[in-house]
Amino acid sequence: MACFSVLFCLLFSLFFIIAQSKPVILLDTSPYLSPTTILNYQKMVQNFKVFIYKPNKPFNYTTQAESLFYATLQNSHFVTQNAEEANLFFVPFSPDLSLRSLGRFIGNLRTDLPYWNRALGADHFFLSCDGLGHDSNRNVVELKKNSVQISCFPAAGGYFIPHKDLTLPPIVYNPHALPENRTVRFLGYVRHKAVTSPSLIDELVNYREFCVETEPSDETTFAERLSSSKFCLFEYGNDVSWIGEALRFGCVPAVIADRPVNDLPFVDVLRWQEMAVFLRSERGLGDLKHVLDNTWRDRGERMRRSGAAGSKHFVWNEKPEPLDSFNTVMFQLWLRRHTVRYARAE
């Protein structure tokens, strides 16, 4: 027993000396909400099947993101011609289609095929960049309440249901080359039209710690400012098309909003709270600067690395690649394939 006590004391002393002389700091820079994300993603790639209904007439989507997603889906290995093996069903319709005509289209699917009625549309999804409007037609009500709506980010207020609907990330076709060396010069970068509040801009331009654009910059200057800034400021609802690029360059997004932001791309996959800062719009500049300074001191480097790791999900490709925007949207759909059935609409 004495030998055991001596051995324990020796081991404890050795551990204490090592801990004192060379502390070990573990930084979790994974961008994912779940440690099993990659494993579940591989299961999705192997097993996910989608049946696409035939639209009632030929049409084109109005945005690049919608058009690219639809074209890529049609040519992907996820599509099956056997509806019985499908996990989800895609409902394609023109963005110009009236709600009355849309109701008739869904009514035909209900009458002609058995799949809608099995879950009242809860295993269906559709594209609508601006979001589906409200209507009393039972078919439209079920589509809006039960089916997964894929909107453009940021989603239109009042037309997006958090925890059910998804958003497409903005398209970045040709990502800028990352610099070999990163020299940080600014606390915050405000790109032209990313922040439109006149009072906030007037305050920011007087601080050398912030790089504020009053005119659009060329691509080279844009890339340089991304790489030289700790935070990139976005006013929610304005130009957010470059949020993926900000993440990739290690410029932590600081999102200014007057309400909770529930429509971020890949909210089921990425740990946004570890990749971005969310600020209320009523904060003054002094408070904003205080929050950014403290955030960078406490966890800025970890956030920068997490964001850079997660940025690959914001890249769109004409031919999809693993973990790119298209495949990550499909992964979110896969995660929601067991959507709870809603009560029958009266």
Side-chain angles (χ1 to χ4, degrees):
M1 186 71 179
C3 292
F4 177 81
S5 299
V6 172
L7 179 60
F8 177 82
C9 290
L10 287 172
L11 290 173
F12 180 82
S13 299
L14 180 61
F15 174 80
F16 181 80
I17 292 171
I18 293 174
Q20 288 290 97
S21 61
K22 190 176 181 180
V24 178
I25 300 175
L26 299 177
L27 295 178
D28 180 11
T29 57
S30 169
Y32 302 119
L33 285 170
S34 170
T36 62
T37 292
I38 300 301
L39 177 62
N40 290 332
Y41 173 85
Q42 295 300 334
K43 291 180 180 178
M44 181 275 296
V45 171
Q46 297 170 7
N47 300 298
F48 194 19
K49 294 299 178 185
V50 173
F51 181 81
I52 301 177
Y53 291 115
K54 183 179 179 180
N56 58 348
K57 62 179 181 179
F59 72 95
N60 293 307
Y61 286 106
T62 55
T63 68
Q64 285 184 310
E66 288 175 297
S67 299
L68 183 56
F69 177 84
Y70 185 38
T72 307
L73 175 62
Q74 288 177 298
N75 296 314
S76 73
H77 74 279
F78 296 114
V79 174
T80 178
Q81 302 303 319
N82 179 8
E84 293 297 331
E85 68 175 10
N87 304 106
L88 292 181
F89 298 80
F90 179 65
V91 184
F93 56 86
S94 169
D96 299 326
L97 194 66
S98 69
L99 292 179
R100 182 177 180 181
S101 297
L102 178 59
R104 285 200 298 267
F105 180 44
I106 300 301
N108 292 335
L109 297 182
R110 179 197 299 278
T111 303
D112 299 341
L113 297 167
Y115 311 112
W116 182 273
N117 289 323
R118 293 192 305 194
L120 302 180
D123 52 359
H124 288 55
F125 66 101
F126 64 96
L127 284 171
S128 178
C129 188
D130 296 327
L132 195 62
H134 299 276
D135 195 80
S136 60
N137 181 284
R138 169 187 171 181
N139 297 317
V140 176
V141 169
E142 289 184 358
L143 180 68
K144 183 174 180 63
K145 289 183 61 178
N146 298 358
S147 302
V148 177
Q149 173 182 278
I150 303 179
S151 301
C152 298
F153 175 72
Y159 296 98
F160 184 87
I161 303 176
H163 312 300
K164 179 183 76 69
D165 298 338
L166 309 175
T167 54
L168 295 173
I171 285 187
V172 178
Y173 275 121
N174 299 304
H176 298 81
L178 292 172
E180 294 183 4
N181 298 305
R182 184 172 188 262
T183 302
V184 176
R185 294 189 294 133
F186 303 108
L187 175 61
Y189 168 45
V190 182
R191 194 182 189 189
H192 181 59
K193 291 187 177 180
V195 175
T196 57
S197 171
S199 59
L200 182 56
I201 291 177
D202 288 343
E203 289 185 279
L204 288 171
V205 294
N206 293 319
Y207 279 79
R208 292 183 178 180
E209 293 171 280
F210 291 90
C211 175
V212 182
E213 289 183 351
T214 55
E215 297 291 336
S217 60
D218 58 59
E219 294 301 305
T220 301
T221 303
F222 171 55
E224 290 175 351
R225 289 171 175 171
L226 282 177
S227 64
S228 62
S229 303
K230 295 177 181 177
F231 294 94
C232 284
L233 276 64
F234 297 83
E235 203 167 36
Y236 181 76
N238 293 335
D239 179 16
V240 294
S241 62
W242 53 291
I243 193 168
E245 284 287 77
L247 290 168
R248 196 168 67 89
F249 273 79
C251 189
V252 178
V255 183
I256 303 170
D258 59 2
R259 60 181 175 83
V261 181
N262 298 314
D263 60 341
L264 289 162
F266 313 135
V267 70
D268 298 331
V269 179
L270 300 177
R271 298 194 302 169
W272 275 104
Q273 294 296 335
E274 295 298 320
M275 302 194 311
V277 181
F278 298 91
L279 306 165
R280 297 303 297 265
S281 57
E282 64 266 18
R283 288 183 183 271
L285 179 59
D287 197 12
L288 181 148
K289 184 178 179 300
H290 178 72
V291 170
L292 295 184
D293 278 330
N294 287 346
T295 300
W296 187 261
R297 184 190 65 238
D298 296 341
R299 57 195 182 103
E301 184 61 24
R302 185 173 71 235
M303 296 179 75
R304 185 184 73 80
R305 292 181 180 273
S306 294
S311 66
K312 61 177 170 286
H313 298 282
F314 288 78
V315 177
W316 287 94
N317 298 290
E318 295 290 349
K319 183 178 180 181
E321 297 180 5
L323 297 171
D324 69 358
S325 286
F326 170 77
N327 280 302
T328 309
V329 172
M330 296 303 294
F331 181 51
Q332 282 200 115
L333 289 168
W334 166 259
L335 294 176
R336 299 188 180 201
R337 69 194 184 281
H338 298 309
T339 304
V340 177
R341 175 175 173 170
Y342 284 74
R344 183 178 294 276
E346 296 298 336

